[in-house]
Amino acid sequence: ETYHLVMHRLQTRRLWLPGRITLKGILSPLQEQKMMEELRSLGVSNVRSALHPSQLLALIAVIVLWTLDPVIAKALLSLPLAIPPLDVTVTRLFIFFVACVCLAAVERFRRTSQLRRIPLKDPLLWLAGASLFGMALCTYLSLQELLPQQYVTLTYAGGAFFPVLRSFAGKKLGTKILLPLVTLALIIASPLTLFLFRPETPWQSLGLGMGAAIGFMILTVCTDEYKRRHRIQARLPDFFAVLSGIGFFLCICLMFWTGLPSLSPLQFSAVAGHTILFTTLPYFFFYKILTTKEWRRLVTYFAPGIILTLLGQVLLFGSIDLASLLPLIALYALTFGFYRKYTYTTLPE
């Protein structure tokens, strides 16, 4: 009876290896945890959960768009477009808000039943909106001086810091503590490596890059917790409309320091296209996946994205920073090993 509503979507396939069975379907995190516990009680061993093929395709799209995002953003800030970072921030949040409102309107028109409104009194919603604003502002200010590769190093280090640090809380790692300790040390050392090997890089840009990473992590955690509290999976477009509205409301004060009226149609179209393709679509896909998967299980899939960032940087700017390449690769490798070891569910033999 626990899985009565979803059993018609599950497919069972016996693999060529003896004793191996694959069960394919999409379950919520609670349903997945319940099934894991029941399989364990039945004596089933070596149980793993993976992404559904449709989720994997959506995640690949997210990885491609997000890893190319800093490259395209850097191009918007550089010649020949040379759009000021404040103008890009305000335009991005405005276009993102309009796109989310249109998406919510289309989804509401297609609904056959009326759903409840998004709860506005929860502080998590406002914290997530503030993080969306802060992340956008820090991103474009830091990319004025940083290469996309350096920005990715900072954002990945900042994004991985809190989950790795959280692994120490309430867990007895015992002799397995070496991997988290080394991973945590490398996360802290990565920004320092950029500063030591590139002393000409303004420390403000390094701090802004870390701020963008922390903003994304706060946004992800708050969104995940907000969805868990209020069960908004079916109201995700409405949630994005409200979230983007909060972010745009906070950036209105920046309009006094921008030159938006002087933007050419080409500049505005470039920012609008960048926002829709590299912000709106991947955000929607990513948080749609989060309705059935915990975000900590998705981190390892982003590791190959470094290749796209480097290729885009070389093609558009013809440069690569070897000083930050080694710590970035090491950081990806260690965090990949950490997440595989400590966040994936494997039942003992």
Side-chain angles (χ1 to χ4, degrees):
E1 294 181 0
T2 305
Y3 316 105
H4 177 70
L5 296 178
V6 294
M7 281 301 293
H8 67 283
R9 294 181 297 169
L10 297 180
Q11 303 174 12
T12 303
R13 181 165 60 93
R14 187 177 296 276
L15 301 180
W16 62 273
L17 293 174
R20 293 281 183 96
I21 295 178
T22 298
L23 185 66
K24 186 166 69 174
I26 300 178
L27 301 175
S28 68
L30 184 61
Q31 291 170 333
E32 181 181 314
Q33 181 181 2
K34 182 68 174 177
M35 179 172 285
M36 291 284 189
E37 293 174 354
E38 293 187 358
L39 289 173
R40 176 186 294 177
S41 65
L42 294 174
V44 180
S45 62
N46 196 22
V47 178
R48 284 184 178 270
S49 64
L51 289 172
H52 191 270
S54 61
Q55 294 177 321
L56 185 59
L57 289 176
L59 187 59
I60 291 174
V62 171
I63 293 171
V64 171
L65 294 174
W66 266 353
T67 52
L68 290 177
D69 179 30
V71 179
I72 306 301
K74 179 73 173 179
L76 295 177
L77 299 170
S78 306
L79 293 173
L81 292 174
I83 307 174
L86 293 184
D87 293 21
V88 178
T89 302
V90 174
T91 307
R92 164 182 167 165
L93 290 175
F94 171 71
I95 297 297
F96 185 47
F97 171 61
V98 172
C100 289
V101 169
C102 293
L103 180 62
V106 171
E107 288 294 324
R108 180 166 295 189
F109 178 78
R110 294 173 55 187
R111 289 172 187 162
T112 57
S113 59
Q114 190 69 21
L115 299 177
R116 292 181 299 172
R117 293 183 178 181
I118 297 295
L120 300 178
K121 295 182 179 181
D122 194 329
L124 287 175
L125 177 63
W126 294 89
L127 181 58
S131 301
L132 179 68
F133 162 71
M135 179 183 64
L137 181 60
C138 290
T139 294
Y140 296 116
L141 288 175
S142 65
L143 282 172
Q144 277 189 302
E145 301 291 342
L146 297 179
L147 289 172
Q149 170 193 347
Q150 297 168 334
Y151 172 81
V152 168
T153 303
L154 295 173
T155 52
Y156 198 86
F161 179 78
F162 289 109
V164 175
L165 187 64
R166 188 179 177 183
S167 67
F168 291 93
K171 290 186 178 180
K172 296 181 179 179
L173 298 178
T175 58
K176 300 179 182 179
I177 198 172
L178 181 60
L179 180 58
L181 279 178
V182 174
T183 304
L184 191 61
L186 187 57
I187 288 173
I188 298 173
S190 295
L192 297 178
T193 303
L194 290 180
F195 186 76
L196 292 174
F197 286 91
R198 289 289 180 268
E200 69 277 7
T201 303
W203 64 268
Q204 296 93 333
S205 298
L206 299 177
L208 288 168
M210 289 295 295
I214 294 173
F216 175 72
M217 184 55 56
I218 294 176
L219 173 64
T220 303
V221 172
C222 290
T223 301
D224 198 29
E225 179 62 21
Y226 185 87
K227 289 190 306 180
R228 188 189 64 81
R229 286 186 186 180
H230 303 287
R231 299 180 180 179
I232 61 169
Q233 284 84 351
R235 298 172 287 166
L236 203 58
D238 295 343
F239 169 76
F240 273 111
V242 175
L243 180 69
S244 60
I246 295 174
F248 177 64
F249 174 77
L250 293 176
C251 82
I252 289 179
C253 60
L254 296 179
M255 290 185 177
F256 297 102
W257 291 276
T258 63
L260 290 176
S262 63
L263 287 182
S264 66
L266 176 61
Q267 290 175 319
F268 183 83
S269 300
V271 178
H274 168 261
T275 301
I276 294 174
L277 185 59
F278 293 93
T279 302
T280 307
L281 290 180
Y283 266 115
F284 182 77
F285 287 153
F286 181 67
Y287 289 107
K288 190 73 172 177
I289 297 173
L290 287 184
T291 59
T292 57
K293 289 292 180 184
E294 294 183 0
W295 60 269
R296 289 184 295 273
R297 296 191 177 188
L298 304 178
V299 174
T300 55
Y301 291 92
F302 284 84
I306 179 180
I307 300 175
L308 294 178
T309 303
L310 294 175
L311 287 177
Q313 178 178 303
V314 171
L315 289 176
L316 289 183
F317 306 105
S319 61
I320 189 170
D321 183 13
L322 296 178
S324 62
L325 183 59
L326 291 179
L328 179 58
I329 294 176
L331 179 63
Y332 269 126
L334 272 179
T335 50
F336 179 83
F338 172 82
Y339 278 102
R340 291 284 296 184
K341 194 174 187 63
Y342 291 101
T343 65
Y344 277 75
T345 302
T346 306
L347 303 184
E349 295 287 348

